[in-house]
């Protein structure tokens, strides 16, 4: 069993900014975990993990002339459907015992980034977190993934549909 699983966030920044959405094929998620995670290549990826495993998220822009970086990752309240959470405009709190936000790979918040992972310094190439031991197997824990593309108005878009689920 691998001690970590990588989640690659592929972003079509030009399409996302033009359409003001990460849906419609503008974002896809894939993981390299040993389990068959449902939703590979879609925004509905449900990465199957085990307690203690490190999860690493990396954003990659599909157009080399644009930038796309993860600005925040936060877990949604239990039972929050992606549509309801998106409509409320808030990410709420994490499931009991789940860290509210994943953090930078070195475990510290670099200059310009608040401890909860809010953007300020988008030089982070990898975000990571550790799967807690008490997650209920088979229950998807949805999270909000925020992606920043360039600067300015409407440059940060988010989706609430991906999830982690313990095997």
């Amino acid at each position: 069993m691998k001690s970590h699983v990588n989640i690659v966030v592929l972003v079509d920044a030009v399409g996302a900014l033009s359409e003001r959405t990460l849906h419609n094929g503008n974002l896809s998620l894939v993981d390299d975990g040993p389990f068959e995670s449902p939703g590979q290549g879609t925004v509905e990826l449900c990465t199957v993990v085990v307690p203690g495993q490190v999860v690493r998220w990396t954003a990659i822009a599909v157009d080399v002339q644009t930038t796309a970086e993860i600005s925040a990752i936060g877990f949604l309240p239990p039972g929050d459907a992606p549509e309801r959470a998106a409509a409320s405009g808030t990410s709420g709190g994490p499931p009991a015992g789940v860290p509210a936000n994943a953090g930078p790979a070195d475990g510290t918040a670099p200059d310009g980034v608040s401890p909860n992972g809010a953007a300020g310094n988008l030089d982070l190439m990898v975000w990571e977190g550790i799967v807690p031991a008490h997650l209920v197997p088979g229950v998807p824990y949805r999270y909000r993934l925020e992606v920043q593309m360039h600067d300015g108005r409407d440059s940060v878009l988010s989706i609430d549909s991906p999830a982690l689920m313990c095997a």
Side-chain angles (χ1 to χ4, degrees):
M1 178 71 55
K2 288 175 33 175
S3 63
H4 67 277
V5 62
N6 297 297
I7 299 174
V8 176
V9 181
L10 297 165
V11 183
D12 176 358
V14 173
L17 290 170
S18 297
E19 298 176 13
R20 294 187 179 157
T21 183
L22 292 172
H23 292 279
N24 304 333
N26 295 323
L27 183 136
S28 63
L29 298 149
V30 293
D31 72 44
D32 66 354
F35 303 104
E36 293 185 27
S37 298
Q40 291 280 357
T42 72
V43 295
E44 302 288 332
L45 177 65
C46 184
T47 300
V48 180
V49 295
V50 294
Q53 194 171 33
V54 174
V55 181
R56 294 181 181 143
W57 289 266
T58 305
I60 299 175
V62 295
D63 179 351
V64 297
Q65 296 179 346
T66 59
T67 60
E69 299 187 23
I70 297 169
S71 60
I73 298 172
F75 284 86
L76 301 173
D80 240 9
E83 299 80 25
R84 195 173 83 205
S88 73
T90 63
S91 64
V98 175
N101 293 76
D106 67 0
T108 63
D111 292 339
V113 177
S114 68
N116 72 354
N121 177 353
L122 293 178
D123 293 332
L124 300 175
M125 300 308 287
V126 176
W127 285 64
E128 73 179 28
I130 298 173
V131 178
H134 65 280
L135 295 186
V136 178
V139 175
Y141 290 89
R142 299 222 170 266
Y143 59 90
R144 171 170 289 160
L145 175 67
E146 292 183 5
V147 178
Q148 180 157 358
M149 299 150 289
H150 301 290
D151 294 320
R153 195 175 81 112
D154 299 322
S155 65
V156 177
L157 298 173
S158 66
I159 55 168
D160 292 340
S161 52
L164 298 180
M165 180 173 66
C166 278

